Amino acid sequence: MSVPQIIIEQQSYLNSPIEVDGAVYVAAQNGEIIQYKNEQQKTFFHVASQPNSIKMDNKNKVSYVANMARQSIQKFCQEEDNDEIIDFINEFEGMPLLGPNSLLLSPKNNMIFFTDSGPFGETAIDNCKGSLFAADLENLTCKALALYCLSFPSGICMGNDEKTIYLCETGKNRILRFVQANAGIYYFSVYIQFQGRFGPMACAVSSTDLLYVARYEFSQVTDDGLISVYNQNGINIDNIVLPHYPELTGMAFSISQPSVLYLTENSSKGKCLKLNVTPPDKKDKDKFK
Protein backbone atom coordinates (compact mmCIF):
# COMPACT_ATOMS: atom_id res chain seq x y z
CA MET A 1 0.00 0.00 0.00
CA SER A 2 1.29 3.45 -0.90
CA VAL A 3 1.07 6.74 0.98
CA PRO A 4 -2.17 8.62 0.11
CA GLN A 5 -1.78 11.37 -2.48
CA ILE A 6 -3.76 14.59 -2.00
CA ILE A 7 -5.37 15.42 -5.36
CA ILE A 8 -7.86 18.08 -4.19
CA GLU A 9 -7.59 20.40 -1.20
CA GLN A 10 -10.13 23.06 -0.22
CA GLN A 11 -11.06 25.19 2.77
CA SER A 12 -14.58 23.73 2.54
CA TYR A 13 -15.35 20.18 3.67
CA LEU A 14 -15.45 17.58 0.89
CA ASN A 15 -17.61 14.46 0.50
CA SER A 16 -18.61 11.74 -1.93
CA PRO A 17 -15.76 11.12 -4.39
CA ILE A 18 -16.73 9.43 -7.67
CA GLU A 19 -14.89 8.67 -10.90
CA VAL A 20 -16.56 9.18 -14.28
CA ASP A 21 -14.72 8.87 -17.62
CA GLY A 22 -11.31 9.28 -16.03
CA ALA A 23 -12.30 12.36 -13.99
CA VAL A 24 -12.83 12.52 -10.22
CA TYR A 25 -15.68 14.57 -8.77
CA VAL A 26 -16.32 15.60 -5.16
CA ALA A 27 -19.06 17.59 -3.44
CA ALA A 28 -17.88 20.60 -1.43
CA GLN A 29 -20.04 22.05 1.34
CA ASN A 30 -19.62 25.55 -0.11
CA GLY A 31 -21.83 24.41 -3.02
CA GLU A 32 -19.16 23.49 -5.55
CA ILE A 33 -19.05 20.21 -7.43
CA ILE A 34 -15.33 19.95 -8.15
CA GLN A 35 -13.81 18.04 -11.07
CA TYR A 36 -10.22 16.73 -11.06
CA LYS A 37 -8.88 15.64 -14.44
CA ASN A 38 -5.40 15.55 -16.00
CA GLU A 39 -3.96 16.79 -12.68
CA GLN A 40 -6.09 19.94 -12.85
CA GLN A 41 -9.15 20.86 -10.78
CA LYS A 42 -12.05 23.14 -11.62
CA THR A 43 -15.62 23.84 -10.54
CA PHE A 44 -17.82 21.57 -12.67
CA PHE A 45 -21.04 23.23 -11.51
CA HIS A 46 -22.38 24.98 -8.44
CA VAL A 47 -25.48 24.41 -6.34
CA ALA A 48 -27.04 26.53 -3.63
CA SER A 49 -26.70 25.44 -0.01
CA GLN A 50 -24.86 22.28 1.02
CA PRO A 51 -24.28 19.36 -1.39
CA ASN A 52 -23.29 16.24 0.52
CA SER A 53 -23.22 13.58 -2.20
CA ILE A 54 -23.19 13.37 -5.98
CA LYS A 55 -23.86 10.61 -8.50
CA MET A 56 -23.72 10.84 -12.29
CA ASP A 57 -25.69 8.94 -14.90
CA ASN A 58 -23.19 9.53 -17.68
CA LYS A 59 -25.23 7.66 -20.29
CA ASN A 60 -28.16 10.03 -19.87
CA LYS A 61 -25.99 13.08 -18.99
CA VAL A 62 -27.76 13.57 -15.65
CA SER A 63 -26.27 14.39 -12.25
CA TYR A 64 -28.02 13.85 -8.92
CA VAL A 65 -27.04 15.79 -5.80
CA ALA A 66 -28.00 15.13 -2.18
CA ASN A 67 -28.43 18.65 -0.83
CA MET A 68 -28.44 18.45 2.96
CA ALA A 69 -29.42 22.06 3.65
CA ARG A 70 -32.24 22.17 1.05
CA GLN A 71 -33.52 18.79 2.32
CA SER A 72 -33.81 17.46 -1.22
CA ILE A 73 -32.33 15.34 -3.98
CA GLN A 74 -31.57 17.66 -6.87
CA LYS A 75 -31.23 16.87 -10.57
CA PHE A 76 -28.96 18.57 -13.11
CA CYS A 77 -29.27 17.76 -16.84
CA GLN A 78 -25.94 18.41 -18.55
CA GLU A 79 -27.20 18.50 -22.14
CA GLU A 80 -30.05 20.97 -21.75
CA ASP A 81 -29.67 24.56 -22.95
CA ASN A 82 -30.08 25.92 -19.43
CA ASP A 83 -28.12 24.81 -16.40
CA GLU A 84 -31.01 24.91 -13.96
CA ILE A 85 -30.84 22.53 -11.04
CA ILE A 86 -34.26 21.30 -9.94
CA ASP A 87 -35.48 19.71 -6.71
CA PHE A 88 -36.14 16.10 -7.73
CA ILE A 89 -37.23 14.54 -4.40
CA ASN A 90 -37.92 16.58 -1.28
CA GLU A 91 -40.60 14.65 0.63
CA PHE A 92 -41.95 11.20 1.40
CA GLU A 93 -45.70 10.71 1.75
CA GLY A 94 -46.16 14.40 2.49
CA MET A 95 -43.37 14.64 5.07
CA PRO A 96 -40.25 16.68 4.23
CA LEU A 97 -36.90 14.94 4.14
CA LEU A 98 -34.60 15.54 7.10
CA GLY A 99 -31.63 16.17 4.81
CA PRO A 100 -30.29 13.49 2.42
CA ASN A 101 -26.79 12.28 3.16
CA SER A 102 -25.54 9.81 0.53
CA LEU A 103 -26.68 8.62 -2.89
CA LEU A 104 -26.42 5.27 -4.66
CA LEU A 105 -27.28 4.94 -8.33
CA SER A 106 -28.26 1.51 -9.70
CA PRO A 107 -28.50 1.52 -13.51
CA LYS A 108 -29.49 -2.16 -13.55
CA ASN A 109 -32.52 -1.48 -11.34
CA ASN A 110 -33.05 2.04 -12.77
CA MET A 111 -33.22 3.31 -9.20
CA ILE A 112 -31.52 5.77 -6.93
CA PHE A 113 -31.14 4.93 -3.24
CA PHE A 114 -30.40 7.53 -0.59
CA THR A 115 -29.92 7.84 3.14
CA ASP A 116 -31.83 10.60 4.93
CA SER A 117 -29.97 11.53 8.11
CA GLY A 118 -30.43 15.24 8.61
CA PRO A 119 -27.46 17.34 9.81
CA PHE A 120 -24.75 15.69 11.87
CA GLY A 121 -26.16 14.89 15.32
CA GLU A 122 -29.84 15.36 14.46
CA THR A 123 -30.58 11.63 14.31
CA ALA A 124 -28.26 10.50 17.11
CA ILE A 125 -28.90 7.35 19.15
CA ASP A 126 -31.43 9.23 21.31
CA ASN A 127 -33.42 10.21 18.19
CA CYS A 128 -33.25 7.37 15.66
CA LYS A 129 -35.33 8.98 12.92
CA GLY A 130 -33.07 8.43 9.91
CA SER A 131 -34.21 6.47 6.83
CA LEU A 132 -33.16 4.69 3.67
CA PHE A 133 -35.24 5.38 0.58
CA ALA A 134 -35.35 4.00 -2.98
CA ALA A 135 -36.72 6.01 -5.91
CA ASP A 136 -37.68 4.53 -9.27
CA LEU A 137 -36.26 6.82 -11.96
CA GLU A 138 -38.83 5.75 -14.56
CA ASN A 139 -42.13 6.19 -12.75
CA LEU A 140 -40.75 8.58 -10.09
CA THR A 141 -42.16 6.60 -7.16
CA CYS A 142 -40.34 6.53 -3.84
CA LYS A 143 -40.44 3.81 -1.21
CA ALA A 144 -38.86 3.41 2.22
CA LEU A 145 -36.54 0.46 2.87
CA ALA A 146 -36.02 1.56 6.49
CA LEU A 147 -38.28 4.34 7.75
CA TYR A 148 -37.54 6.68 10.69
CA CYS A 149 -35.55 4.05 12.59
CA LEU A 150 -31.85 4.70 11.88
CA SER A 151 -29.21 6.63 13.81
CA PHE A 152 -27.39 8.95 11.40
CA PRO A 153 -27.45 6.71 8.29
CA SER A 154 -24.60 7.91 6.09
CA GLY A 155 -22.59 6.12 3.37
CA ILE A 156 -24.15 3.39 1.22
CA CYS A 157 -22.78 1.09 -1.45
CA MET A 158 -23.95 -1.88 -3.49
CA GLY A 159 -22.55 -5.33 -4.20
CA ASN A 160 -21.54 -6.06 -7.76
CA ASP A 161 -24.70 -8.12 -8.33
CA GLU A 162 -26.75 -4.99 -7.49
CA LYS A 163 -28.93 -7.05 -5.12
CA THR A 164 -27.14 -6.23 -1.87
CA ILE A 165 -26.86 -2.80 -0.23
CA TYR A 166 -24.52 -1.96 2.63
CA LEU A 167 -25.39 1.02 4.85
CA CYS A 168 -23.24 2.82 7.41
CA GLU A 169 -25.32 3.50 10.51
CA THR A 170 -22.83 5.88 12.06
CA GLY A 171 -24.72 6.61 15.29
CA LYS A 172 -24.82 2.92 16.28
CA ASN A 173 -21.30 2.13 14.96
CA ARG A 174 -22.41 -0.63 12.62
CA ILE A 175 -23.04 -1.75 9.05
CA LEU A 176 -26.51 -2.89 7.97
CA ARG A 177 -27.01 -5.17 4.98
CA PHE A 178 -30.12 -5.04 2.78
CA VAL A 179 -30.74 -8.05 0.52
CA GLN A 180 -33.21 -7.95 -2.35
CA ALA A 181 -35.39 -11.05 -2.33
CA ASN A 182 -38.29 -12.02 -4.59
CA ALA A 183 -40.67 -9.33 -5.87
CA GLY A 184 -38.10 -6.62 -5.15
CA ILE A 185 -38.56 -6.78 -1.38
CA TYR A 186 -35.53 -5.85 0.72
CA TYR A 187 -34.77 -7.48 4.06
CA PHE A 188 -32.11 -6.07 6.37
CA SER A 189 -30.17 -6.94 9.48
CA VAL A 190 -26.99 -5.99 11.32
CA TYR A 191 -24.06 -7.20 9.21
CA ILE A 192 -21.06 -5.83 11.16
CA GLN A 193 -21.04 -4.39 14.68
CA PHE A 194 -17.92 -2.36 15.40
CA GLN A 195 -16.22 -1.59 18.70
CA GLY A 196 -14.16 1.54 19.07
CA ARG A 197 -14.04 4.78 17.02
CA PHE A 198 -17.09 6.98 16.44
CA GLY A 199 -18.67 5.04 13.59
CA PRO A 200 -18.52 4.06 9.91
CA MET A 201 -19.10 6.98 7.56
CA ALA A 202 -18.45 5.54 4.09
CA CYS A 203 -18.14 2.19 2.36
CA ALA A 204 -17.27 0.75 -1.04
CA VAL A 205 -17.24 -2.70 -2.64
CA SER A 206 -14.19 -3.77 -4.65
CA SER A 207 -14.25 -5.55 -8.01
CA THR A 208 -13.94 -8.86 -6.11
CA ASP A 209 -16.76 -8.09 -3.65
CA LEU A 210 -14.65 -7.10 -0.68
CA LEU A 211 -16.28 -4.49 1.52
CA TYR A 212 -14.10 -1.51 2.51
CA VAL A 213 -15.38 0.60 5.42
CA ALA A 214 -14.09 4.06 6.41
CA ARG A 215 -14.35 4.24 10.21
CA TYR A 216 -14.62 7.90 11.20
CA GLU A 217 -13.09 9.28 14.35
CA PHE A 218 -12.72 12.85 15.62
CA SER A 219 -9.26 14.38 15.19
CA GLN A 220 -9.39 15.39 18.89
CA VAL A 221 -9.32 11.67 19.76
CA THR A 222 -6.77 10.23 17.32
CA ASP A 223 -4.49 11.26 14.48
CA ASP A 224 -4.98 8.02 12.53
CA GLY A 225 -7.60 7.09 9.97
CA LEU A 226 -8.81 3.50 9.67
CA ILE A 227 -10.28 1.48 6.81
CA SER A 228 -11.46 -2.05 7.66
CA VAL A 229 -11.84 -4.68 4.94
CA TYR A 230 -14.38 -7.54 5.05
CA ASN A 231 -14.91 -10.56 2.86
CA GLN A 232 -18.28 -11.88 1.66
CA ASN A 233 -18.71 -13.80 4.90
CA GLY A 234 -18.45 -10.62 6.94
CA ILE A 235 -15.00 -11.51 8.28
CA ASN A 236 -12.45 -8.76 8.88
CA ILE A 237 -9.46 -9.68 6.71
CA ASP A 238 -7.49 -6.44 6.74
CA ASN A 239 -7.17 -3.03 8.40
CA ILE A 240 -5.54 -0.06 6.68
CA VAL A 241 -4.19 2.66 8.96
CA LEU A 242 -3.87 6.15 7.47
CA PRO A 243 -1.79 8.47 9.69
CA HIS A 244 -3.00 12.10 9.79
CA TYR A 245 -6.40 11.32 8.19
CA PRO A 246 -8.89 10.33 10.96
CA GLU A 247 -12.06 12.06 9.71
CA LEU A 248 -12.83 9.99 6.60
CA THR A 249 -16.20 10.91 5.08
CA GLY A 250 -16.32 9.42 1.56
CA MET A 251 -14.97 6.51 -0.43
CA ALA A 252 -15.13 5.11 -3.98
CA PHE A 253 -13.08 2.74 -6.09
CA SER A 254 -11.66 3.85 -9.40
CA ILE A 255 -13.42 2.26 -12.36
CA SER A 256 -10.37 2.31 -14.65
CA GLN A 257 -7.88 1.25 -11.92
CA PRO A 258 -9.55 -1.26 -9.54
CA SER A 259 -6.72 -1.04 -6.98
CA VAL A 260 -7.13 2.74 -6.57
CA LEU A 261 -9.38 4.06 -3.81
CA TYR A 262 -10.54 7.67 -3.65
CA LEU A 263 -11.28 9.10 -0.19
CA THR A 264 -12.47 12.38 1.28
CA GLU A 265 -11.17 13.54 4.66
CA ASN A 266 -11.94 16.68 6.68
CA SER A 267 -9.82 16.84 9.83
CA SER A 268 -8.40 20.23 8.87
CA LYS A 269 -8.98 21.34 5.31
CA GLY A 270 -11.20 19.34 3.00
CA LYS A 271 -9.11 16.83 1.08
CA CYS A 272 -9.62 14.21 -1.62
CA LEU A 273 -7.04 11.44 -1.41
CA LYS A 274 -5.90 8.87 -3.93
CA LEU A 275 -4.78 5.61 -2.33
CA ASN A 276 -3.33 2.48 -3.95
CA VAL A 277 -4.50 -0.56 -2.01
CA THR A 278 -3.42 -4.20 -2.15
CA PRO A 279 -5.08 -5.83 -5.19
CA PRO A 280 -8.32 -7.40 -3.92
CA ASP A 281 -7.67 -10.74 -5.63
CA LYS A 282 -4.74 -11.32 -3.26
CA LYS A 283 -7.06 -11.38 -0.26
CA ASP A 284 -8.62 -14.59 1.03
CA LYS A 285 -12.26 -13.71 0.36
CA ASP A 286 -13.51 -17.17 1.43
CA LYS A 287 -11.83 -17.08 4.83
CA PHE A 288 -13.72 -18.07 7.98
CA LYS A 289 -12.57 -17.64 11.55
Side-chain angles (χ1 to χ4, degrees), residues 49-61:
S49 300
Q50 186 183 330
N52 206 72
S53 180
I54 179 172
K55 286 292 180 283
M56 295 184 179
D57 180 354
N58 202 40
K59 179 181 178 182
N60 296 314
K61 302 296 182 183

Side-chain angles (χ1 to χ4, degrees), residues 253-272:
F253 275 98
S254 166
I255 297 172
S256 58
Q257 304 175 75
S259 63
V260 168
L261 193 59
Y262 294 108
L263 304 160
T264 50
E265 199 275 341
N266 295 303
S267 58
S268 54
K269 295 180 179 179
K271 295 173 286 292
C272 182

Side-chain angles (χ1 to χ4, degrees), residues 65-74 86-100 112 114-116 131-136 139-145 147-148:
V65 177
N67 196 318
M68 178 76 73
R70 285 185 63 89
Q71 298 173 264
S72 69
I73 306 297
Q74 296 180 297
I86 63 171
D87 288 342
F88 182 58
I89 302 170
N90 56 18
E91 57 89 22
F92 178 73
E93 295 184 347
M95 295 292 292
L97 300 180
L98 299 175
I112 190 165
F114 62 95
T115 52
D116 187 35
S131 303
L132 173 63
F133 295 107
D136 190 306
N139 58 33
L140 303 182
T141 58
C142 188
K143 65 180 179 180
L145 304 187
L147 185 62
Y148 308 144

Side-chain angles (χ1 to χ4, degrees), residues 28-62:
Q29 287 193 354
N30 64 2
E32 291 182 306
I33 304 301
I34 301 170
Q35 180 196 72
Y36 176 85
K37 189 174 184 179
N38 299 326
E39 300 185 355
Q40 300 289 327
Q41 71 178 62
K42 68 176 184 180
T43 300
F44 185 61
F45 63 91
H46 191 280
V47 300
S49 300
Q50 186 183 330
N52 206 72
S53 180
I54 179 172
K55 286 292 180 283
M56 295 184 179
D57 180 354
N58 202 40
K59 179 181 178 182
N60 296 314
K61 302 296 182 183
V62 175

